[in-house]
Amino acid sequence: MPFKTAQIRLVSSHSEVYEPCDDSFALVDALLADRSNLIEHKPKFCMEVGCGSGYVITSLALLLGHEFHGIHYFATDTNPHAVRVTRETMEAHGVHAELISTDIASGLEKRLAGLVDIMVVNPPYVPTPEDEVGREGIISAWAGGEDGRSVIDRILPVADNLLSRKGWLYLVTLESNHPLQLCLQMRERGYASRIVVQRSTDEESLHIIKFWRNFDKE
Ligand SMILES: C[S@@+](CC[C@H](N)C(=O)[O-])C[C@H]1O[C@@H](n2cnc3c(N)ncnc32)[C@H](O)[C@@H]1O
């Protein structure tokens, strides 16, 4: 029986790379819950920004991969160790993506403009002092600056440029990122949104938001 999501025992690791955690699992749970829609969606180009260990993009490829072929996967991370670890994780599961060590989608924005049908992002979302954002190593996995929004606010316009007309974005956010405000901001760009998974722990309240272009208004 083929795996539906990445197997933790096959996920590679490195001391400077974010290990799959509650937020990664919540994002994959959101994809699993939406699996039949994802399959019907027939995506051609899928992308993860901030791939870390590769757990999420591998799970997405496994979720979709057994149904039909010809999907191109891309994943980026500023941390070069994460790109290597993601490559190992994907190889261990027999799936493949184009992996690029870059800031958000720098270098891909022309090539993939308007093409990405599925984008998944578990960004650095923890509120921190602004000078911790974008530092080298593991700290860049969580440091999100004021309200944890510094990286998120840079990702959203890039996602808007890359997403196809039928593109979907799945984004992990924390209560302190003001998810409803994010939805309103995306509404101004023409997107509808829905919270597909909400999960609270003692420490944080996570929301996985799905965005798609709202053509009803046209
Ligand atoms: C919370 S971790 C998520 C890792 C993985 N996607 C997961 O869910 O387990 C955030 C990831 O984003 C990466 N990252 C941080 N800033 C980034 C940026 N500007 N562009 C691309 N990746 C970034 C970090 O290196 C880290 O791997």
Side-chain angles (χ1 to χ4, degrees):
M1 163 107 177
F3 301 131
K4 276 201 182 144
T5 61
Q7 301 297 290
I8 290 297
R9 69 189 164 84
L10 297 179
V11 172
S12 190
S13 63
H14 182 281
S15 56
E16 293 293 317
V17 174
Y18 191 78
E19 281 183 20
C21 217
D22 288 345
D23 46 5
S24 334
F25 299 134
L27 178 54
V28 169
D29 284 349
L31 299 174
L32 268 175
D34 222 14
R35 182 169 183 256
S36 48
N37 291 326
L38 283 162
I39 288 165
E40 254 178 52
H41 199 57
K42 296 192 173 35
K44 284 209 173 90
F45 293 93
C46 299
M47 178 172 193
E48 179 172 20
V49 172
C51 54
S53 68
Y55 173 76
V56 177
I57 189 75
T58 301
S59 296
L60 179 64
L62 291 172
L63 250 146
L64 291 170
H66 299 295
E67 300 300 326
F68 51 96
H69 298 283
I71 308 176
H72 300 271
Y73 295 92
F74 295 84
T76 69
D77 205 296
T78 39
N79 179 348
H81 300 299
V83 167
R84 188 177 48 71
V85 166
T86 292
R87 178 166 295 115
E88 290 166 1
T89 297
M90 295 196 88
E91 277 173 11
H93 289 84
V95 291
H96 174 79
E98 199 170 311
L99 303 170
I100 300 126
S101 179
T102 191
D103 178 39
I104 305 180
S106 233
L108 289 169
E109 289 193 61
K110 262 198 179 155
R111 189 176 152 205
L112 293 183
L115 289 179
V116 176
D117 298 316
I118 306 292
M119 182 180 283
V120 289
V121 190
N122 179 9
Y125 54 64
V126 178
T128 60
E130 210 51 49
D131 64 0
E132 291 184 6
V133 178
R135 281 213 201 139
E136 257 183 43
I138 189 77
I139 192 171
S140 67
W142 63 78
E146 193 179 340
D147 293 335
R149 284 278 295 269
S150 289
V151 184
I152 293 174
D153 286 345
R154 288 200 301 119
I155 289 173
L156 293 180
V158 176
D160 185 27
N161 173 46
L162 295 186
L163 286 171
S164 66
R165 276 178 70 82
K166 66 171 191 178
W168 293 346
L169 165 66
Y170 296 83
L171 177 71
V172 180
T173 64
L174 201 62
E175 191 63 52
S176 33
N177 305 146
H178 309 300
L180 293 180
Q181 190 193 70
L182 279 171
C183 293
L184 287 174
Q185 284 176 2
M186 284 298 272
R187 191 155 92 182
E188 280 165 21
R189 291 180 182 272
Y191 287 81
S193 58
R194 186 163 63 85
I195 292 173
V196 279
V197 167
Q198 188 164 359
R199 200 159 287 174
S200 297
T201 65
D202 288 347
E203 286 159 22
E204 54 188 19
S205 174
L206 291 166
H207 298 76
I208 315 297
I209 313 176
K210 177 179 176 180
F211 295 97
W212 65 96
R213 293 187 199 277
N214 184 4
F215 294 110
D216 291 350
K217 289 196 310 185
E218 285 182 355

